Every structure is written in C-alpha cells, then in structure tokens.
C-alpha cells in the first residue's frame, strides 16, 4: 500500500488487485480476450454468416427447381392439347397456342390474389394443400388434374417462372411468337411438334 499526504489529507492507494466476484472476473476476462482477438472473431462470424446464407440459397434453388419441373410438364401438355384443339376446331379454338402470361397466372398464383383465395380458383381441384416445401408453397390440381402452385410473393413467382420459361423454350417442339388475343398483343407459346411427340402424361 502507498501513502500520499499533503499535511492535511492522507491518501491510501492499494497495489493489490481489487476483490471481484467470479462472474465479474469471467466477464472481464472475456471482454479482454475479445478485444485482443476481435479480428479472428470477426472472421469466424463472417464465415458462419456466409455459410448459412449459401445453404439457404442452395435450398431455395432446389425448391424452385423442383416446383418448376412439375409446372414444365403440365405446360407442355397444355400447349399440345391446345394445338390439337385448334387443329380439330379452329372456330372454337382460334389461337393455336396459349398466352404466356395467362399460363403463368394459371400455374403460379401469388398468395392472396387468386379467385377464392382459399380455393383452387379453377373450379375442379379442391383447396390448396401444403407441400414438402412448407406452408408458403402450397399446391392443388385444376380440372385437368394439372398441378397449380400458390407462392408467397411476386419475387418467388418470378424466380420460379424464369426457370419454367427457360426449360419450356429449350424444347424444340415449342415456338414463342406474338399474336393478337381479343384485340391485345400477347406473347404466345405454340406446340409445333408432331403428334408422336405428345408430352401428355398417363394419369
């Protein structure tokens, strides 16, 4: 202990460590360690955050790809069916294809926008049911037993539809063109493959 005095006052200064509780000592030591190794801790935190983000993105891509695969099959079948209908009765089916936007809206619905909200909106498939992708990605069937999906928002629909469109247009039996439907120009997908190349599935 050191003693300082000025004739009127005396100051006692202890040279020993102050008495601390165990929790206070542990907290102090942790803060000192963190301050000394902040760059290492930052690198670890960044690595964990990046790995978590990449894992989530990978799962999202796998989910979008799986949903898109079910839609592509049904879109190709719908295009082939419409081409046959047009060939058989061009009066009732004047367009030899389907509007791309209408196809998208039929197979991919944004939550809260569909007819009936809780139902399929297509008059033949019952309500939407949860899928293996959780409650935000639900599905039902239309009157032709084709799978329709309801997704949480526009961003999800745009991501999935981009995959669908790319896969559909890679099929050489499909042609994209612009046609007038009820006075408005529409991008249209047409089935131009032969009957033997029918994508129709056995149900």
């Amino acid at each position: 202990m050191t003693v300082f005095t000025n004739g009127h006052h005396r100051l006692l200064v202890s040279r020993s460590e102050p008495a601390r509780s165990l929790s206070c000592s542990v907290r102090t030591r942790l803060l000192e360690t963190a301050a000394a190794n902040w760059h290492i801790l930052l690198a670890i935190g960044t690595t964990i955050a990046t790995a978590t983000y990449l894992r989530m993105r990978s799962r999202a891509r796998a989910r979008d790809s799986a949903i898109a695969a079910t839609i592509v099959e049904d879109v190709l079948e719908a295009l082939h069916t419409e081409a046959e209908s047009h060939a058989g009765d061009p009066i009732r089916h004047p367009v030899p294809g389907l509007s791309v936007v209408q196809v998208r809206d039929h197979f991919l619905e944004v939550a809260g926008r569909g007819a009936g909200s809780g139902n399929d909106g297509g008059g033949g498939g019952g309500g939407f049911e949860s899928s293996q992708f959780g409650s935000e990605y639900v599905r039902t069937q239309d009157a032709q037993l084709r799978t329709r999906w309801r997704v949480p928002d526009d961003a999800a629909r745009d991501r999935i539809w981009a995959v669908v469109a790319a896969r559909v247009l890679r099929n050489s039996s499909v042609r994209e063109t612009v046609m007038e439907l009820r006075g408005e120009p529409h991008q249209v997908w047409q089935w131009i493959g032969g009957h033997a190349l029918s994508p129709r599935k056995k149900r």
Side-chain angles (χ1 to χ4, degrees), residues 89-105:
D89 190 350
I91 302 300
R92 292 185 59 190
H93 302 273
V95 180
L98 295 172
S99 163
V100 175
V101 172
Q102 292 173 1
V103 171
R104 181 201 65 189
D105 290 348

Side-chain angles (χ1 to χ4, degrees), residues 72-167:
V72 168
E73 291 183 6
D74 288 332
V75 167
L76 293 176
E77 181 181 352
L79 295 177
H80 179 267
T81 299
E82 190 65 20
E84 283 191 331
S85 298
H86 172 75
D89 190 350
I91 302 300
R92 292 185 59 190
H93 302 273
V95 180
L98 295 172
S99 163
V100 175
V101 172
Q102 292 173 1
V103 171
R104 181 201 65 189
D105 290 348
H106 178 79
F107 287 104
L108 273 175
E109 177 182 309
V110 176
R113 295 188 190 172
S117 190
N119 300 316
D120 69 331
F128 281 87
E129 299 177 353
S130 294
S131 67
Q132 67 269 38
F133 306 116
S135 60
E136 290 188 322
Y137 293 83
V138 294
R139 61 187 176 187
T140 189
Q141 290 182 325
D142 64 14
Q144 287 73 42
L145 302 182
R146 297 178 298 215
T147 303
R148 300 177 61 228
W149 290 87
R150 176 176 291 166
V151 297
D153 51 41
D154 288 311
R157 183 177 69 171
D158 290 344
R159 284 197 316 269
I160 296 170
W161 186 249
V163 178
V164 172
R167 293 182 184 179

Side-chain angles (χ1 to χ4, degrees), residues 1-6 9-16:
M1 178 180 292
T2 303
V3 179
F4 297 94
T5 181
N6 61 2
H9 303 283
R10 186 168 60 179
L11 178 65
L12 304 178
V13 179
S14 175
R15 295 180 179 274
S16 61

Side-chain angles (χ1 to χ4, degrees), residues 34-75:
N37 300 281
W38 66 268
H39 53 292
I40 297 177
L41 296 176
L42 178 62
I44 293 173
T46 301
T47 300
I48 293 174
T50 301
T52 301
Y53 171 74
L54 292 176
R55 184 167 61 251
M56 291 176 62
R57 281 199 62 184
S58 177
R59 290 178 178 176
R61 282 197 298 267
R63 177 199 63 220
D64 293 350
S65 179
I67 293 174
T70 67
I71 296 173
V72 168
E73 291 183 6
D74 288 332
V75 167

